[in-house]
Every structure is written in structure tokens, then in C-alpha cells.
Amino acid sequence: MKLPGNHFVEPRTLFATGSSLTVASGTRVGRIIATGALQEILKAHASRNSWNGSFKRKNILVRNGCYSEISMPFHAEFSRDSMLNDYIAYFDEVISLFELKGVGCPAFFPWMRKSLLRFMPAPSPSFCDEFRHFQCFAMAQFALKRPVVRIGFLSNLYRLRRCANRQVRKTLLAILRSLSLRSDWRVIVLLHSHPILVKVYLFNKKKDKEGNGGGKTKEGNGENSKDQKGGEKTNDADYKMAKLTKYDNSANHLVIYTRHVIEHGMDPAQLEVIHSIFYLFFFS
């Protein structure tokens, strides 16, 4: 794992409107090893086997460049505690390699740990059915997916909301409206987020077509800038909060806003960093 090119994470820097943000980005090598190790643990648990958290990094081998396996004997006893110890060892021995000093982990990694440990089923008469669902849940974690997969999920969610048949749209809308958000995502975007996210939020399509600049801001040294016609201070907190009601504080409108960021706020080379920004301000 210490050979050149075998690093799990690398820094990426996003530049916008005179400022920058450095985030951690997982590598293909890291995703292959982490995904393979998790699959090995899930496969062992499905057969009621466990290592009781005793495996180390040196026990994880890579086969044919794309498969991982844990090369050590199982522990004698299978229990909820032994399962839990396996996942804790997985995060300590494997996922910890994704942490970039001074920056942190890539998007969704902290949430992955919390969710897997929270929803892990305990051995019971219905363990097989429960664990089958847990396996799907574990392997669907955004943290281990390529940026293009994550961006595709968000785009397709928006597409379903707009283009699916009436019953599907109605069901999806009910789910999105039922989700509770920790805080007002609009305030986080307008007052505490990266300039790219603010720029997309304030964007006015009608003004832009007329050549008036919409919500776009001039690059500068951090001072308030004015749009091209109205003289509004688009970097001013009062001006931003006046635009708060452009969206509702709901998961439904967050999906709409996310789609606008994907479509208008970035280029294809920035897929990973934009996910890190979303995670930083919406999930941490």
C-alpha cells in the first residue's frame, strides 16, 4: 500500500470568484481496496463467520488488481459484538487511509461509518433477511462510489421528479417532503458556503438573458461587489437573505438546487470536489 501510486487519497483544489477550497478526493486504488475489503466482511458475516476485528492492513491482499481479500482465519465465535469489531477494524485499518492531513476525508466517509454501525443487524431468527437488506445498503454507500456514479444518482433523481409518470412523481415527492433536514440548508448555502454554491443560488435566468448579470459576481479580493445594473451587493448578507425564499427549506427543493449546481455551477473535472462541498455543508 506504500508503493508510489498506491495512495488512497489526494488533494483537489476548487477555484471560484477569487477564492479556493482544497478537499480530499479518493483514488481508484483506494476505492478498489476499500470496496473489496467491505465485500469480504459482508460475505463472511452472511455465512455467520467473523474475525472479531483482529485483522490488520497487512492481512488485506489484492488479487488481479481489482479484488481484495482478508487472509487470516475466522474467529471461533460469531456474535453481534464480533461483527461490530470487524466493522470498527475496517474503519480503523482501511477507511482511515482516506484521511488527508489538514483536510479530512472525502465526501460521505464520516456518514458511512455512522450509518453502517447504526443499522448493522444482530444475529436473530430473521438475521438472513435483515442482513440481505443490510448488504445492499452497505454496498450502496456513496463514499465508495466514483464521482460520476454519485452525480448520476443526483441527476436521475431530478429527472424522475420531472419526467416519470404521475404515480412515481407523486410517491417520490411524498418521500422528499417527508425527509427532515438538520438545519436550514438555504442559510448554510448563502452565508457559509463556497462562492460557487452562492452564485448558483442567486442566479437569475431572466436577468442573465437580458445581459444584466443576474446573481453573478465579479472576482475580487473579498469586498462586496455589485451586479451590473441594479447596484445590489451580491456579497452582502442582507441581500443574500432577501433571496432566501427562492427555494423552500425542504429535501425536494434541495434536489432542484443540487441539479442546478451540477448543470450550471461546475465543469466535469470538478465532480469530486463539488461532492465534498455538498457533504461539508449538508451532512457534517
Side-chain angles (χ1 to χ4, degrees):
M1 292 184 182
K2 294 183 179 180
L3 294 175
N6 278 4
H7 53 283
F8 279 42
V9 67
E10 57 191 8
R12 296 282 183 86
T13 304
L14 179 67
F15 297 93
T17 60
S19 63
S20 64
L21 178 69
T22 300
V23 297
S25 174
T27 65
R28 181 174 180 269
V29 169
R31 288 194 298 269
I32 287 174
I33 295 175
T35 301
L38 180 58
Q39 285 175 328
E40 280 286 286
I41 294 172
L42 292 169
K43 185 169 65 174
H45 291 176
S47 303
R48 294 180 177 266
N49 293 312
S50 169
W51 292 275
N52 195 29
S54 60
F55 62 85
K56 304 295 180 183
R57 292 173 190 170
K58 64 182 181 180
N59 303 122
I60 301 175
L61 306 179
V62 179
R63 303 290 187 188
N64 299 325
C66 55
Y67 300 101
S68 298
E69 65 179 47
I70 300 175
S71 179
M72 72 173 302
F74 293 123
H75 188 258
E77 185 178 341
F78 178 73
S79 65
R80 189 182 191 282
D81 287 341
S82 68
M83 291 174 62
L84 181 62
N85 289 336
D86 281 343
Y87 293 118
I88 292 175
Y90 171 72
F91 286 108
D92 290 345
E93 295 293 325
V94 180
I95 298 302
S96 63
L97 294 172
F98 285 93
E99 185 171 359
L100 190 63
K101 187 176 181 180
V103 177
C105 292
F108 302 105
F109 273 83
W111 187 82
M112 176 186 176
R113 181 183 185 119
K114 293 177 183 178
S115 62
L116 288 188
L117 297 183
R118 177 182 177 185
F119 295 110
M120 182 193 72
S124 67
S126 59
F127 176 75
C128 289
D129 290 335
E130 292 179 4
F131 193 78
R132 192 178 301 114
H133 292 297
F134 179 72
Q135 278 183 300
C136 295
F137 171 74
M139 294 310 300
Q141 293 293 311
F142 267 11
L144 299 179
K145 301 298 182 184
R146 292 179 299 156
V148 69
V149 174
R150 298 198 296 260
I151 217 77
F153 173 83
L154 296 171
S155 295
N156 288 331
L157 190 63
Y158 178 83
R159 189 174 293 112
L160 281 173
R161 183 190 169 280
R162 290 288 303 273
C163 305
N165 63 58
R166 183 177 181 181
Q167 185 58 45
V168 172
R169 293 200 311 271
K170 183 178 178 180
T171 303
L172 179 58
L173 191 59
I175 294 173
L176 292 174
R177 286 175 173 171
S178 69
L179 296 175
S180 59
L181 302 178
R182 293 186 180 183
S183 56
D184 194 326
W185 66 269
R186 303 168 302 171
V187 175
I188 297 173
V189 167
L190 290 175
L191 299 185
H192 306 294
S193 72
H194 195 273
I196 277 186
L197 302 184
V198 178
K199 182 178 179 181
V200 173
Y201 195 104
L202 298 177
F203 178 72
N204 187 313
K205 185 176 181 180
K206 182 178 179 181
K207 283 187 178 181
D208 187 61
K209 285 185 176 180
E210 294 172 355
N212 295 332
K216 297 182 178 181
T217 62
K218 299 177 182 178
E219 293 189 11
N221 56 5
E223 298 178 353
N224 290 341
S225 58
K226 299 180 180 180
D227 64 9
Q228 296 177 11
K229 186 175 182 179
E232 298 158 312
K233 295 180 180 180
T234 56
N235 282 341
D236 183 75
D238 292 336
Y239 170 74
K240 291 177 181 179
M241 294 308 292
K243 301 295 183 180
L244 187 73
T245 55
K246 180 178 180 179
Y247 295 96
D248 294 335
N249 183 34
S250 65
N252 180 43
H253 274 212
L254 181 55
V255 168
I256 298 173
Y257 170 72
T258 303
R259 171 62 180 180
H260 289 326
V261 173
I262 295 170
E263 189 71 20
H264 307 294
M266 66 180 194
D267 60 56
Q270 296 173 338
L271 295 178
E272 181 67 36
V273 289
I274 208 71
H275 278 106
S276 296
I277 292 171
F278 272 120
Y279 178 84
L280 186 63
F281 296 110
F282 297 138
F283 298 97
S284 58

